[in-house]
Amino acid sequence: MPPTAIPPMATRRRVLGWLGAGVALPVLSACGSGDAEAKTYPVHYSEAEWRKRLTPAQFYILREEGTERPYSSPLNKEHREGTFLCAADGHPLYSSKTKFDSHTGWPSFWKPLPGAVGTSTDFKLGYPRTEVHCARCGGHLGHVFNDGPPPTGKRYCMNGAAMTFRPA
């Protein structure tokens, strides 16, 4: 091989390296971009006021987009007829008729009430997930996935501490 020729392996490595960078760049640039989707909600308070209104666990989940430990919520075992409400502002979110046991450790639903929730894209784990939030206060509730039961095929996987339950 002439001294100026590039060995075939070096060319393949270079191409694969550029391909990898091309795939990683959009993901990395999206990390932490939740502010781009920030909006004003009808119910809003200062951080200090939210801290007064919510328990530490509720604040962590609803206002800091945290996640509770699986199987830690009493709402997993809630099977009465009624409505699941946002713990921050009492907004009705889900009917008990749409609740199902997803065996994931979090209360799961196949459909929210009309106009109850909003969604945004979350890149916190390095790949896009659909975050679910209260349509009235913007509080983080959980995520929605495409592996739920009929008729929607959706699994709204919610943090129990982000909700309360009102029996019918």
Side-chain angles (χ1 to χ4, degrees), residues 98-102 108-111 145-156:
T98 65
K99 187 174 188 275
F100 70 99
D101 188 355
S102 64
S108 297
F109 306 85
W110 51 265
K111 179 176 107 175
F145 303 96
N146 292 319
D147 60 1
T152 63
K154 301 287 185 190
R155 173 174 51 97
Y156 287 83

Side-chain angles (χ1 to χ4, degrees), residues 4-78:
T4 57
I6 300 170
M9 239 3 231
T11 303
R12 269 188 234 130
R13 275 190 218 120
R14 194 174 302 155
V15 169
L16 289 174
W18 280 106
L19 282 173
V23 169
L25 189 60
V27 172
L28 292 174
S29 67
C31 287
S33 67
D35 291 341
E37 294 178 313
K39 65 179 245 183
T40 303
Y41 293 93
V43 174
H44 56 279
Y45 298 103
S46 68
E47 181 179 335
E49 186 62 29
W50 279 123
R51 284 189 187 278
K52 284 184 203 170
R53 293 173 166 271
L54 302 171
T55 67
Q58 289 171 332
F59 184 85
Y60 169 67
I61 291 164
L62 287 158
R63 307 315 308 169
E64 297 180 319
E65 301 174 355
T67 301
E68 68 192 6
R69 284 186 348 268
Y71 300 101
S72 65
S73 172
L75 293 183
N76 285 330
K77 294 183 172 111
E78 182 57 70

Side-chain angles (χ1 to χ4, degrees), residues 101-127:
D101 188 355
S102 64
H103 303 287
T104 60
W106 291 278
S108 297
F109 306 85
W110 51 265
K111 179 176 107 175
L113 292 169
V117 302
T119 60
S120 58
T121 304
D122 165 1
F123 288 94
K124 289 180 190 74
L125 296 181
Y127 61 89

